[in-house]
């Protein structure tokens, strides 16, 4: 991309040519499935042999370490900063230690990020529902709801390790109720398929017949043994060791010889046996061997590998939904309201479960509660469309479902799907970014004080309604991104995570570190494995359950720094590695990107960080954080400052180019916008509100104000769109110059929804807003080897403005912001739309164009014919 900056200072031209293909990128993130690093101390009678199908080694191995360079991106960019380099190396070492800590409890990172498959409320095949919740500070746990008349004793966790483990996870089983006249299943572990009316077990074949067939067809002679008691194996082993009349008490138990003595006696006892009898000959000598390298018999091993597990026989006993409904009534019917009850050192309390997927945060003044969402198969939503292909260039339409309607009320998911999605598609965008979708108690926060991480906001509809929205967007070719808030959490006890188990440090830090400096929110403990499981599983949940295509991580500076980003930054690397940097938060972001890109290769992650932390979009293997894009937050601030504080003739063209191009090393990973929701929601004004203001009819002053507003609105959007990186974002309504700000219902406006909507009716008639919308449609499809010429000057026009070009030829205007159909004045005649280059050195190029350039306009030229000079 070549930027030709010439005098006077309010004229700017730039060329996009074939030498720099527009909007083409490919990002690859490698992810190794990590296996348990546990080792087994043993030795064998013969040297261990490496198994053919041995699981892949941990990424902590030296082989993988050679591919990881903690300061790789610094070396590549030629950056030398001793303190920051040392910080990256220490962070890499700490990340390895954190993974070792994780692998003591989880097989791999995928298991860590799949907590949603186990925790919360889940239907079990054996006619029951399992509930698991993490509350290490609680002494007692139960489920209360309308299904048990809110009784804290009827459905509780069992005492001891049958009810909770050492990490504070509570386990509650809700058994389905046997209907009157029905008897218990003959098979204790009878399974049911709740989705299909009938299954194989409904075919009239008894379980005994299936198991007998398994004995006949699957097990070899001597292997078909049905245990009559769970202790039978232990009894046999005990009898083999101590004989039929062995000791019955600890007092009768004599001293047991050590392993080596017992081994020698065993060999002596079986000295007449053939060599193959000792094929599993293993004794502990203290030497470390990998647990997968157990010595075995090659013939037995090959036979074992060829043999499939006998699960097929077991599944033949499974019955269908009709049999289940006939015999049982659900223990927790679909739509039931419930909460989790804890007994804590400070007394009893009730909470909305942290893993609840559907929540009523404030139902008509009643206490918040979760809703069990388990619709019958015939009414459950079924996906129709696949994920769209990831485009080379992202054109993102930022939306808030609740304010997307014309009427002054909360718009639903279904209304958004039916009315707003077609409008977005027609405009030419290829992605939508939703904020305020995840459940939050206070509507006026626009969804940024999340209370329930796993639930869609019930004020817009049901989980299935949101699935339909995502599915229909995919059908229109639109990717769906979520603005995810993992940088802090709402400080709410009744419906959120605050004091969840009665303690102050369950999910959050204690003391000042646990509180956001200015926003009154709570800060997560990113160094806690259980908190990591909650957050990482949350990302995976939205990607799996709702087919989300990407995440924009909101306000990273709030989590990366203990001062929450509210400090003066000069750009010195010392500021990114001092005592105010939260290393645990950075390691969480690295794992989040690695896991998401491994499990969902198509998924896109976007970093919103006002401090532009070094390495945001660098590979994690090279010391970066692994994001696909970063948000250029400076552009909108620059435009807002220009519009409100600087006269038009004082605008700096060099600052515009410098700000919009951002970091040239990562220009292809930059997401740029002229204005997003912040300008019109966070107490500010939209650009249209500033530019057009209050017009009084057809006075000359009003006409001039209108022309200025139209011209600058188009110029700002055009140059932001064309000069930036591979991603562009626009907030809902800004494309047609929405004249009013957004104001959510609060006490300050008597809870009015008058300004919590979008004035789509302005597009019915041709005029200012219709003209701006028409221009936005053109811009959305435009990119390529083009010449862009901008004149931001409020009054100065040029009959012939010289611009250097690389190719001699004829250039045709394809977009002119001054056209009448875009609200312009038609200053350039149709005869001037075709321009031929002349041989004259301008801007370091040997050929140039002499172009008409009216004030406050921009033109886009395309080379239509090459001339050979």
């Amino acid at each position: 991309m070549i930027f030709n900056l010439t005098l006077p200072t309010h004229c700017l031209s730039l060329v996009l040519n074939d030498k720099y293909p527009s909007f083409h990128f490919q990002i690859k993130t490698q992810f190794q499935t990590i296996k348990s690093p546990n080792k087994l101390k043993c030795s064998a009678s013969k040297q261990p042999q490496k198994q053919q199908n041995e699981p892949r080694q941990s990424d902590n191995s030296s082989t993988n370490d050679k591919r990881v360079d903690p300061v790789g991106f610094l070396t590549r960019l030629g950056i030398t900063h001793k303190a920051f380099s040392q910080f990256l190396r220490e962070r890499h070492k700490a990340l390895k230690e954190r993974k070792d800590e994780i692998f003591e409890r989880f097989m791999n990172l995928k298991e860590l990020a799949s907590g949603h498959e186990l925790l919360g409320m889940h239907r079990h095949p054996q006619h029951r529902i399992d509930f698991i919740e993490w509350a290490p500070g609680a002494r007692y746990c139960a489920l209360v709801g309308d299904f048990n008349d809110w009784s804290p004793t009827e459905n509780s966790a069992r005492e001891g390790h049958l009810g909770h483990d050492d990490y504070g996870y509570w386990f509650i089983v809700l058994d389905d109720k046997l209907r009157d006249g029905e008897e218990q299943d003959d098979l204790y572990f009878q399974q049911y398929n709740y989705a299909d009316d009938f299954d194989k077990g409904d075919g009239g074949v008894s379980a005994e017949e299936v198991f007998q067939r398994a004995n006949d067809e699957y097990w070899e002679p001597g292997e078909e043994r049905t245990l009559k008691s769970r202790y039978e194996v232990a009894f046999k082993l005990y009898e083999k060791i101590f004989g039929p009349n062995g000791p019955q008490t600890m007092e009768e138990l004599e001293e047991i010889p050590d392993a080596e003595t017992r081994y020698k006696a065993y060999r002596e006892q079986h000295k007449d046996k053939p060599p193959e009898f000792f094929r599993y000959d293993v004794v502990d000598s203290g030497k470390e061997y990998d647990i997968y390298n157990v010595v075995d018999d090659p013939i037995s091993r090959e036979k074992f590998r060829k043999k499939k597990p006998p699960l097929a026989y077991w599944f033949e006993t499974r019955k269908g939904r009709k049999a289940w409904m006939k015999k049982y009534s659900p223990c927790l019917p679909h739509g039931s309201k419930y909460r989790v009850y804890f007994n804590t050192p400070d007394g009893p309390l009730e909470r909305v479960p942290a893993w609840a997927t559907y929540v009523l945060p404030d139902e008509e003044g009643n206490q918040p509660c979760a809703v069990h969402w388990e619709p019958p198969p015939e009414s459950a939503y079924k996906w129709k469309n696949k994920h769209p292909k990831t485009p080379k260039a992202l054109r993102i339409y930022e939306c808030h479902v609740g304010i997307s309607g014309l009427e002054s009320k909360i718009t639903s998911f279904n209304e958004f799907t039916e009315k707003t999605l077609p409008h977005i598609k027609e405009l030419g965008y290829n992605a939508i970014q939703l904020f305020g979708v995840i459940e939050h108690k206070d509507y006026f926060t626009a969804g940024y004080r999340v209370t329930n991480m796993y639930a869609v906001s019930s004020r817009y509809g049901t989980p299935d309604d949101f699935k339909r929205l995502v599915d229909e967007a995919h059908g229109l070719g639109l990717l769906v991104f979520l603005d995810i808030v993992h940088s802090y959490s709402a400080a709410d006890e009744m419906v959120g995570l605050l004091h969840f188990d009665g303690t102050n440090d369950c999910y959050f830090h204690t003391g000042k570190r646990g509180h956001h400096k200015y926003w009154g929110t709570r800060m997560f403990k990113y160094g806690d494995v259980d908190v990591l499981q909650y957050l990482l599983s949350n990302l995976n949940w939205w990607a799996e359950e709702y087919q989300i295509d990407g995440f924009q991580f909101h306000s990273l500076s709030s989590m990366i720094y203990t001062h929450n980003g509210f400090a003066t930054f000069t750009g010195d690397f010392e500021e990114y590695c001092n005592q105010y940097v939260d290393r645990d938060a950075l390691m969480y972001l690295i794992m989040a990107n690695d896991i998401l890109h491994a499990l969902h290769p198509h998924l896109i992650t976007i970093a919103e960080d006002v401090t532009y932390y070094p390495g945001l979009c660098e590979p994690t293997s090279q010391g970066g954080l692994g994001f696909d894009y970063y948000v250029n937050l400076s552009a909108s601030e620059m435009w807002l400052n220009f519009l409100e504080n600087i006269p038009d003739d004082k605008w700096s063209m060099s600052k515009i180019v410098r700000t919009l191009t951002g970091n040239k090393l990562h220009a292809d990973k930059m997401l740029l916008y002229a204005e997003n929701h912040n300008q019109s929601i966070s107490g500010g004004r939209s650009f249209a509100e500033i530019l057009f203001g209050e017009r009084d009819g057809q006075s000359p002053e009003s006409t001039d104000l209108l022309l200025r507003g139209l011209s600058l609105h188009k110029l700002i959007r055009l140059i932001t769109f064309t000069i930036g990186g591979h991603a562009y974002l626009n907030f809902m309504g800004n494309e047609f110059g929405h004249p009013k700000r957004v104001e959510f219902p609060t006490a300050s406006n008597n809870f009015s929804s008058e300004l919590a909507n979008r004035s789509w009716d302005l597009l019915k008639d041709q005029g200012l807003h219709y003209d701006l919308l028409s221009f936005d449609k053109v811009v959305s499809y435009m990119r390529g080897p083009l010449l862009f010429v901008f004149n931001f000057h409020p009054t100065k026009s040029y009959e012939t403005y010289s611009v250097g070009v690389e190719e001699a030829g004829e250039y045709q205007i394809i977009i002119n912001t001054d056209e009448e159909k875009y609200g312009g004045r038609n200053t350039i005649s149709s005869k001037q739309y075709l321009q031929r280059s002349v041989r004259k050195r301008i801007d370091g190029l040997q050929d140039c164009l002499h172009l008409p350039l009216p004030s406050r306009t921009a033109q886009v030229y395309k080379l239509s014919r090459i001339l050979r000079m």
Side-chain angles (χ1 to χ4, degrees):
M1 185 178 290
I2 302 174
F3 300 96
N4 298 313
L5 187 61
T6 58
L7 295 176
T9 58
H10 288 80
C11 297
L12 172 66
S13 64
L14 56 121
V15 180
L16 277 72
N17 50 46
D18 292 326
K19 186 177 180 181
Y20 301 90
S22 64
F23 294 121
H24 179 73
F25 75 99
Q26 184 178 19
I27 299 176
K28 296 181 179 179
T29 303
Q30 295 183 351
F31 178 88
Q32 298 291 335
T33 301
I34 311 303
K35 295 296 182 182
S36 171
N38 296 338
K39 298 291 182 179
L40 179 70
K41 290 186 176 181
C42 67
S43 64
S45 57
K46 53 184 178 181
Q47 195 69 17
Q49 299 176 0
K50 188 174 182 62
Q51 305 294 312
Q52 294 179 1
N53 294 333
E54 182 178 347
R56 219 171 6 180
Q57 296 294 321
S58 164
D59 68 348
N60 293 333
S61 65
S62 58
T63 302
N64 286 318
D65 274 352
K66 293 179 181 179
R67 296 202 302 262
V68 176
D69 185 356
V71 296
F73 82 93
L74 293 182
T75 304
R76 179 173 58 82
L77 299 178
I79 299 174
T80 55
H81 191 280
K82 186 176 181 180
F84 189 69
S85 298
Q86 182 64 24
F87 176 82
L88 293 183
R89 292 187 177 94
E90 292 176 355
R91 188 184 72 188
H92 174 67
K93 180 181 179 181
L95 181 60
K96 293 175 64 177
E97 294 173 352
R98 179 63 43 77
K99 288 182 178 180
D100 288 341
E101 181 184 1
I102 291 171
F103 297 148
E104 290 178 1
R105 293 172 52 187
F106 300 91
M107 178 64 73
N108 49 45
L109 294 179
K110 179 181 179 181
E111 184 181 349
L112 174 69
S114 300
H116 57 278
E117 297 178 358
L118 186 64
L119 281 90
M121 198 79 71
H122 292 281
R123 167 63 62 180
H124 193 279
Q126 294 172 9
H127 52 83
R128 73 173 198 246
I129 286 179
D130 294 341
F131 175 80
I132 302 179
E133 189 65 80
W134 182 57
R139 296 177 174 177
Y140 174 87
C141 178
L143 282 173
V144 298
D146 53 14
F147 66 96
N148 63 6
D149 294 328
W150 304 93
S151 170
T153 59
E154 185 171 336
N155 300 101
S156 61
R158 300 174 66 179
E159 294 184 2
H161 283 80
L162 294 177
H164 66 90
D165 64 10
D166 294 334
Y167 298 104
Y169 287 90
W170 295 85
F171 178 54
I172 299 176
V173 175
L174 302 177
D175 290 309
D176 291 334
K177 300 174 184 177
L178 200 65
R179 295 186 186 274
D180 293 339
E182 295 290 337
E183 297 181 357
Q184 290 285 355
D185 292 305
D186 295 334
L187 186 62
Y188 180 76
F189 296 107
Q190 178 66 60
Q191 291 191 352
Y192 289 88
N193 174 0
Y194 303 103
D196 301 322
D197 284 343
F198 299 98
D199 210 333
K200 295 181 179 180
D202 296 305
V205 180
S206 66
E208 289 75 10
E209 293 177 300
V210 174
F211 294 150
Q212 182 59 48
R213 187 152 49 85
N215 289 339
D216 296 339
E217 300 175 356
Y218 184 85
W219 299 109
E220 297 182 9
E223 293 180 339
E224 70 277 14
R225 282 287 290 113
T226 302
L227 298 181
K228 299 178 180 180
S229 168
R230 69 176 70 179
Y231 303 111
E232 184 174 342
V233 173
F235 289 153
K236 293 291 185 183
L237 181 61
Y238 183 85
E239 185 176 300
K240 185 174 182 179
I241 295 176
F242 298 105
N245 299 315
Q248 301 298 311
T249 65
M250 292 297 295
E251 289 75 13
E252 297 178 9
L253 183 64
E254 299 177 355
E255 184 178 354
I256 301 177
D258 61 85
E260 186 174 359
T261 302
R262 298 199 310 272
Y263 170 70
K264 291 180 178 179
Y266 175 79
R267 291 290 300 226
E268 180 63 26
Q269 181 182 355
H270 300 91
K271 60 183 179 181
D272 297 331
K273 299 289 184 181
E276 58 267 20
F277 180 81
F278 301 100
R279 60 181 179 232
Y280 299 110
D281 194 1
V282 178
V283 67
D284 189 352
S285 68
K287 187 176 180 180
E288 284 197 0
Y289 287 90
D290 193 290
I291 61 175
Y292 302 107
N293 287 338
V294 176
V295 179
D296 60 0
D297 175 42
I299 299 176
S300 300
R301 179 175 69 242
E302 190 63 27
K303 185 186 297 183
F304 176 78
R305 284 178 177 169
K306 290 182 178 180
K307 201 170 213 176
K308 296 181 180 179
L311 296 177
Y313 298 99
W314 180 253
F315 286 142
E316 282 196 42
T317 67
R318 189 172 61 179
K319 298 181 179 180
R321 181 178 180 82
K322 276 198 171 182
W324 171 64
M325 292 297 293
K326 178 178 180 298
K327 184 179 287 286
Y328 297 97
S329 60
C331 56
L332 190 64
H334 169 61
S336 298
K337 299 176 183 178
Y338 67 96
R339 291 189 290 272
V340 61
Y341 175 96
F342 296 124
N343 197 351
T344 72
D346 294 329
L349 53 85
E350 293 183 11
R351 293 286 185 261
V352 173
W355 299 75
T357 60
Y358 191 29
V359 175
L360 301 177
D362 191 13
E363 187 187 27
E364 299 177 357
N366 296 326
Q367 188 173 348
C369 62
V371 177
H372 180 55
W373 189 257
E374 189 185 7
E378 59 271 15
S379 60
Y381 189 81
K382 297 176 178 60
W383 293 91
K384 299 179 297 183
N385 301 297
K386 298 180 179 180
H387 292 274
K389 291 184 178 180
T390 303
K392 296 179 180 179
L394 288 175
R395 293 295 168 262
I396 305 171
Y397 196 82
E398 189 185 33
C399 316
H400 185 284
V401 172
I403 65 172
S404 64
L406 175 61
E407 301 178 23
S408 298
K409 67 178 185 66
I410 296 178
T411 305
S412 68
F413 286 135
N414 289 335
E415 291 171 324
F416 181 90
T417 301
E418 295 163 5
K419 298 178 181 179
T420 308
L421 282 181
H423 171 77
I424 300 171
K425 177 62 178 178
E426 183 183 358
L427 288 176
Y429 291 86
N430 53 31
I432 61 173
Q433 182 168 300
L434 300 170
F435 66 97
V437 164
I438 304 175
E439 190 60 86
H440 50 290
K441 180 181 178 181
D442 299 319
Y443 185 50
F444 69 85
T445 65
Y448 284 108
R449 292 186 184 178
V450 174
T451 52
N452 309 96
M453 292 282 190
Y454 286 79
V456 295
S457 181
S458 58
R459 58 175 56 89
Y460 310 133
T462 68
D464 281 7
D465 293 337
F466 184 60
K467 288 181 180 179
R468 176 173 174 255
L469 186 158
V470 176
D471 199 17
E472 292 296 328
H474 286 169
L476 293 173
L478 299 171
L479 299 176
V480 181
F481 299 158
L482 280 190
D483 202 336
I484 197 83
V485 186
H486 281 188
S487 48
Y488 53 82
S489 178
D492 192 292
E493 290 189 30
M494 298 305 295
V495 66
L497 298 175
L498 182 62
H499 299 151
F500 183 73
D501 62 350
T503 65
N504 194 34
D505 62 347
C506 184
Y507 285 92
F508 309 119
H509 286 292
T510 57
K512 290 184 178 180
R513 189 176 180 185
H515 297 264
H516 194 284
K517 194 172 183 181
Y518 293 102
W519 295 347
T521 51
R522 295 301 305 267
M523 310 305 297
F524 286 107
K525 291 192 301 184
Y526 300 104
D528 189 290
V529 173
D530 299 290
V531 176
L532 287 176
Q533 182 186 28
Y534 181 76
L535 294 175
L536 293 171
S537 299
N538 183 240
L539 298 171
N540 196 17
W541 157 262
W542 289 103
E544 289 186 355
E545 181 70 13
Y546 293 105
Q547 304 294 303
I548 296 301
D549 302 287
F551 299 101
Q552 175 170 306
F553 285 72
H554 172 73
S555 188
L556 292 187
S557 57
S558 294
M559 61 187 291
I560 292 177
Y561 310 98
T562 57
H563 53 58
N564 307 130
F566 287 86
T568 301
F569 279 83
T570 63
D572 193 311
F573 275 90
E574 186 70 29
E575 298 164 342
Y576 302 112
C577 60
N578 57 25
Q579 70 271 24
Y580 301 110
V581 177
D582 189 337
R583 190 170 63 183
D584 290 335
L586 293 172
M587 292 191 293
Y588 161 71
L589 294 174
I590 291 172
M591 286 191 287
N593 277 300
D594 278 349
I595 290 172
L596 286 175
H597 288 131
L599 300 181
H600 312 282
H602 69 279
L603 193 140
I604 293 171
T605 59
I606 304 170
E608 182 194 71
D609 175 24
V610 69
T611 69
Y612 302 108
Y613 194 86
L616 278 176
C617 295
E618 294 289 347
T620 57
S621 62
Q622 299 299 302
L625 300 185
F627 287 96
D628 297 318
Y629 293 93
Y630 73 96
V631 181
N632 184 338
L633 297 165
S634 304
S636 62
E637 296 175 359
M638 176 196 70
W639 291 125
L640 187 62
N641 181 51
F642 279 4
L643 292 174
E644 291 188 328
N645 304 314
I646 300 178
D648 296 359
D649 59 348
K650 301 297 184 182
W651 287 16
S652 169
M653 296 298 101
S654 59
K655 182 175 182 179
I656 290 176
V657 173
R658 186 171 61 251
T659 303
L660 294 182
T661 54
N663 188 337
K664 295 181 180 180
L665 296 173
H666 302 99
D668 59 330
K669 299 181 180 182
M670 179 174 62
L671 186 153
L672 197 61
Y673 57 82
E675 56 177 334
N676 72 344
H677 69 271
N678 285 329
Q679 280 67 45
S680 54
I681 284 181
S682 304
R685 296 183 296 166
S686 68
F687 289 179
E689 195 173 3
I690 298 172
L691 287 169
F692 303 129
E694 296 292 335
R695 303 189 306 277
D696 55 347
Q698 299 298 323
S699 66
E701 293 79 7
S702 179
T703 302
D704 291 343
L705 180 65
L706 175 63
L707 288 174
R708 173 183 179 269
L710 279 168
S711 301
L712 289 179
H713 198 276
K714 290 180 290 184
L715 285 173
I716 289 172
R717 280 157 51 217
L718 179 61
I719 192 172
T720 304
F721 179 90
T722 54
I723 203 175
H726 287 174
Y728 172 81
L729 179 144
N730 170 72
F731 176 55
M732 176 176 58
N734 286 348
E735 70 276 6
F736 64 85
H738 197 279
K740 299 178 181 178
R741 66 186 183 279
V742 176
E743 192 174 280
F744 284 87
T746 61
S748 62
N749 61 14
N750 295 322
F751 299 98
S752 171
S753 298
E754 183 179 352
L755 294 177
N757 62 350
R758 298 280 85 182
S759 302
W760 303 110
D761 55 333
L762 296 173
L763 302 177
K764 292 182 179 179
D765 302 319
Q766 293 193 1
L768 181 155
H769 302 286
Y770 182 86
D771 294 341
L772 290 176
L773 178 68
S774 300
F775 179 72
D776 192 76
K777 289 183 181 180
V778 174
V779 170
S780 295
Y781 288 102
M782 182 198 59
R783 199 68 190 229
L786 307 170
L787 169 67
F788 299 83
V789 185
F790 297 82
N791 183 4
F792 280 86
H793 200 281
T795 58
K796 183 67 174 178
S797 299
Y798 301 87
E799 293 184 2
T800 56
Y801 181 79
S802 300
V803 179
V805 292
E806 288 190 342
E807 291 282 357
E810 293 181 346
Y811 289 77
Q812 177 77 35
I813 290 182
I814 60 172
I815 290 182
N816 175 20
T817 64
D818 197 38
E819 286 190 45
E820 186 176 356
K821 64 181 180 180
Y822 303 140
R825 297 165 292 179
N826 269 345
T827 308
I828 301 178
S829 67
S830 58
K831 296 180 180 180
Q832 295 175 296
Y833 268 50
L834 184 64
Q835 297 288 333
R836 178 182 290 231
S837 66
V838 296
R839 181 55 61 91
K840 183 180 179 182
R841 180 169 291 276
I842 296 290
D843 302 328
L845 301 172
Q846 63 179 358
D847 296 290
C848 73
L849 295 172
H850 297 307
L851 309 175
L853 190 56
S855 63
R856 285 195 183 128
T857 66
Q859 290 77 43
V860 182
Y861 291 84
K862 183 177 182 180
L863 179 63
S864 59
R865 189 163 69 94
I866 297 177
L867 299 178
R868 303 299 179 188
M869 305 299 289

